[in-house]
Amino acid sequence: MAQKIHRRAKGIIRDMPFSSTNESDVDTVGSLETLRDQCQRVGFRLILLYVRVGSLDDLRTAVNSCTGLLPSFLAPVLTDGDGKALDTSALGNRAHLFLADLLRFVETAKTNVAADDEESRIRLGLVVNLVRLASEVGRMLLSECETIEECAHLEGRDLISEQKVAAAAANEAKESRRVKEFRSTVSENFLAARTKHEQRQKEAESALLSTRTAKVTPVCDSERARRAIRRLTFEEHCDTLARRWSTILHDLQGERGPWSSHTGSGATYWKLDKSEDASMRRSRLKPDYKFQPYKDVPKGESATRADAQDSIQNVRLVGMGQQWKMTSDREFNDGDDEQSAITDELAEKLAIDKENEMHNSTKVLFSTPATLVTLTRTIVGKLDISRDAVVFVVDRSQESAKDHRKRFWRWSVEDIVEVHHMRYRLQHKAFEIHCSDHTSAFFAFSTKKIARFAAARVTAMANAVLMNRRAKAEAAERSKELWKRRELGTFDYLMALNTYAGRTLHDLSQYPVFPWVLKDYTSDTIDLNDPTVYRDLSRPVGALNPERLQTFIERYESLIDDPDTPPFHYGSHYSSCPIVLYYLLRLGPYTKLARALQGGRFDQSDRLFHSVAETFNAVLESSADVKELIPEFYYSSEFLVNTNSLELGQRQDGVTIGDVELPPWANGSRFEFTRVMRDALESEHVSRNLHSWIDLIFGCAQRGQPAVDRHNVFYYLTYEGAVDLDALEDADQRRAIETQIVNFGQTPTQIFRKAHPPRSIQSWQSHFVSESPETLMFAAVVSSGNDGKASLSRAVVNISVDASRVDTIDGARAVAGCRLIRPGGVAHNFNDGESNDVYALDLEPMAKRIEELYVSPDSLAHSQTVHVALRGKVLLSVGHWDRSMRLFDVDEGKEIQRISAHRDVMTCLSICEHSSARTWDASPNAQQMRKVVLVTGSRDTTIAIWELLLPHGAWNMSKAIRALKAEPRVICFGHDEPITCVNVSSQLNLIASGSADGTLVLHDTRDGHIVRAFERTPSGSVPSWIKILDTSSRVVCACAASGALSVHHVNGATLAKYASRHETFDACCVTRDERILLLGNRRGDVTLRHTRDLSIRAQINVANVGVTALSTAASDECLLVGLADGRLCLWAPSPAPAHT
C-alpha cells in the first residue's frame, strides 16, 4: 500500500506545471506566488491522500511535515515590490476546500469508528489536531476579517465558506482538466517521437534484411536444393539397389542358380515379360514371384489380393533400406517443415540456377507433372529432363503410389532413339519414347502444350527423331512401299501402321489391332492356298454376316434425324480394353486387370474366352460383338494356355474352363495354331486383299462417306475430335465420357487419305531352298589355293554371307572371298562384261592365308571358333592357347588386336549386328548408328558379351575404330561345364548357349541374367551348334557326334526332338525364313528338316565327298555347300526364269 501511495504522490508532483530552471523566473514575487500556489495544492492533496489511505506512521509523518508548512500555505497577505497586495483568493478557496475535506473525514470517522479500534481513534485525533492547527494558522486567510482580533472567536466549521469551497472545487476540476490535456500532449509527443524512432529502426532492419536476403538467400536456396537433389539421388540409389538385389536373389534361386537346390519344389508361376523385339512383339515369359491364387468374392464385395510374401533375404533388404532412409533423414533434414516442399520444387530451383547449367549434365532443365502410363496402372508423378537422363519420380502423396514399391524410372538420353507424339483418351497430350534396346515408355500430361514442349526437350537432349503427325505419315508411306515391293512382311507392316496410328502396348484402350484372316476354325485340315478359308477383308467384321448387317443399317438410318447422337452402325468397337483382356485373360498381368474390370472376380464362365471357333462365331452372329484380333494371335501361343492353373469355373454345359479350345486343324498344338495363323497372314491371298482392310482401319474408309458406304461407322465418341474434354465444366459428364473412351474403344488415327494400293504381284519366287528344294540344281563350283588354282586338300569349315558377298575359311587357314552373281548380273570372269543368265560365283583373285588361326579337326566345332565380320574386312578367331580372342585384317592378313576376358581358352563365338530401328523402319536416320554384339564362350563355363559401336556406312573403317574394348560389358554364368556352342540374337535380345554336359541356357543380352534353361540333350550328346530363330522365337540345337536334334521355344517348351546315332552330321544351318534346318553329312548328303517338328522335307546329294559347311544366300534362293576337299558349290533353281 505504501508503495502505491508513493507512486501516487510522485504522480501528483509530476503534474506540477512549474519546471523552469531559470533563476530569473523564481526571483519575482509572481513566480514565488505561483510556486506557493502549486506547493499548496500538492501539499493539501498529499495530506488528504495519506489521511484516507496511508498508514498511521506515514500519516503522522505527513502531518508533522504539513504542520511546518502551514504558515507558508495559509499566509494571509502577499505584496509585490511596490508594496501592493496580491490576490490570494485562490489560496483561500483551496484552504476552505482542504478544511472542508478534513472535517468531512472527521465527521465520517466519528460515526464509523469502533470503540476498540485504537488505530482509527489515533488517526482521527491526528486529523482533528491538524484541523485545529490549520484553523489557527489560517484564520486570517479563511475569514474575511481585517484583523486577527475580529476572527479570534471563529473556529472549525465557522471559518469555512460553502461558496469558496465550491469555487475551489471548480478551480481544482479545471486544473485537473488542464493537467490531463497537458499529459495527453506530452504522451502524444512521446508517441510521435517513439513511432518515428521505431520507423527509423524498422527501415534500418529492412535494409539489413534486404542486404542479407540479396547475399545469403541464394546461398541458402542453393544449399537446400543441393540437399534435396542429394536426398532424391540417395533414395533413387536405394530403390535401384533394392531392385538389383531382388534380381540377383531371383537369379541365385533360379533353375540354374547356385541356390536352386534350396528353393523348394513349389510351383512356378509366370507372367509376360515386357521385353520387346524389333517387331514390337512380347513373346517371352518371366517368373511371377508375387503370384497368389485368385479367389472369387461375392459380387458387391471388394476383392483383395495380398502381395506375395518376400523371402527372408528380401525382408532383410527392406530393413536395411529403411535404416538407410533414416540415416538419410538425419543427414539431410534440419528440422524445417518446409524441407519436403523444397524437395517437391527441386527441379524448378535447379532450373533457375544458370551458373552451372552448361557444366552440370545432371541439372534438371525441365520439370513438369506427368502421368506414367503402364500396362497395369497409371502413376502420377513428375518428369525431370536433364542433359543425361529422363527421370520419372512418383508423387508419394497420391493414393495410387502408396502400394507401388518402385518410385524412380530412369532412361539415359543416349538410349532414346525416337519420341512419338501420342494421344491419351483421344487427346493429343502424351508422348512415347522408344529406346535402342526396344523398350519404351508412355507419358501423359495435363495439356497438349506441355506434352509437345516436353517431347521437344527430350528430342533435343537425346538427339532423337521426333515422330509427329507429319513424320509418322512419311514413315507410313515408306513402310507401304516396302510392303508393296515385298521387302517387308505383312505382320511387320501391320505393326508399323498400328505404331504410326498411335497404338501402343502401354495403353489397353489403344492396343494394336489385327484382322481376322481365317474363317474356317472347324475343319480337320486347312489348305492356305484355298481362298474359301479366308475372311472377306474388304468388309468390316460387322458386315461379314449379311443378315446381321441389315440390322446395323436399320439402326444407322433410324439415327439420321437424331439431334443428339450422330448415326452409327455399331455401338461397340473392334478394339477396346475389355476385348484385349478377353483374349489375354490367362496371361499375367492381364489376369489381374481382367478381374479388376469385373469388380475383383472372373466374368461368368460362359462369357470367357474358351474357344477360337466359338469366338469367331460370336463375331459373326452377335449384334454386340464386332471385335477384331490382337497381334498375339500371329506370334505368341502363351495366351492360349492356362499356365498358372487359374480357376476359371465351369460353363453351363459342364465343361471346365482351362486352355483355349483350338481348331481341329491345329492338332491340339498351340504352336501349330500360331504357325498356321502367321502363315495365313503372310499368304498370297491376304497380300492381295489386305489393302481393303487397311482402308477400313487406318485409311480413307475410316471416316466420312466412304465409311458410310462400306458400313464402317462406329459410335461417335470413339473418334478423335468428337468431344473436347477440356471444355467440359461438368465433372460427372467429363468422367462419364472418359470412361466411355477408355472402356469402349478408340478408333486409330487416320494415316492414309487415299485408297491404299494393293501389294505388287510376286514376279519372282524366293525361298527356293525352303519352299521347293526339289528345283535346286548344281550351278557352280569354286576352289582357291595360294596361287588361285583349285586344291583338293583342305575342307571348307566356315561360310559367311553378307548380301552378295561370300567369304569362306578352310582348314589350311585360308580366307577366300567371292561374289554371288544372280541372273542378269555381271561377273569379272565373263568376256566383255556380258551379263549371265544363270547363278554364278565370281571368285576374288587371291586368298589370304592367316597362320595364327586356330584349327580344329571337327569342322562343325571349328565353325564356332571363327567368324568373318564387317563385310569381309575383319576376321575374329578364338580357341587360342593364350585364352585370347584375336582380330585379323583380312586384306592384309595381319593381326589387329588380341584381347582376353576369360580364365580359360575361348571355345566359341557368335556375332550379330544390332540396330535400334524397328523392323519396318527404312528412314535414312534409322541406321545411322549400329551396334555389333559379340558373344564368346569359354572352358571356364562363362559367357562374355562385347559391344562394338559402328557408324552407318563405316565398314571400311580404320583399324583404330575396329578395335574392341578391352573389357566385356557383361559376364554371364549358369553353366557347370565348358561352353561348346553359342548364338546371339539382337532382335530378341537373347543368347543361347550349350555346354559339355548337355545344358542349354538362354541369357538376356542387356543384363546377362538367365531367362530360361531348356531340357538337356540326351545323355552323351554334346551340343555342337545352336541357333536362335528370331521370327518364330525358337531355338534349334544340334549334337553332331550323336545325331541328336531338338527344337525349343524361348519360354522353355520342347517342340520337337530327334536322335539317331546313324545320322551324324558335320554341317548345320537354318534358312533365312526359319522354316528349314539343313544338315550336311560325310556322305555328301544335305538333309532338309522342318524346324517346327524336325520332319524331313527333302534330301539332296550334293557331292561324293563330305559336306563341311552350309549356308543359304539371296533370300534362300541358293544353297552354298562347303566340301571336305575345299570346294564351294552353289545350288540354285534351274532353269532360272527371267528376272529383272
Side-chain angles (χ1 to χ4, degrees), residues 476 479-480 492-503 693-694 698 748-749 751-752 756 920:
S479 298
K480 181 178 70 175
D492 290 329
Y493 182 49
L494 290 179
M495 289 299 290
L497 294 183
N498 275 281
T499 301
Y500 299 141
R503 314 300 281 188
W693 185 85
I694 294 175
F698 306 106
T749 300
I751 301 177
F752 305 114
H756 193 287
W920 53 80

Side-chain angles (χ1 to χ4, degrees), residues 537-570:
L537 291 172
S538 64
R539 296 171 175 267
V541 171
L544 294 178
N545 186 340
E547 296 180 0
R548 186 181 61 166
L549 175 61
Q550 188 61 37
T551 303
F552 293 143
I553 295 175
E554 293 175 357
R555 173 194 290 174
Y556 181 89
E557 294 175 349
S558 65
L559 293 173
I560 292 179
D561 298 329
D562 192 328
D564 299 325
T565 303
F568 59 89
H569 292 110
Y570 316 110

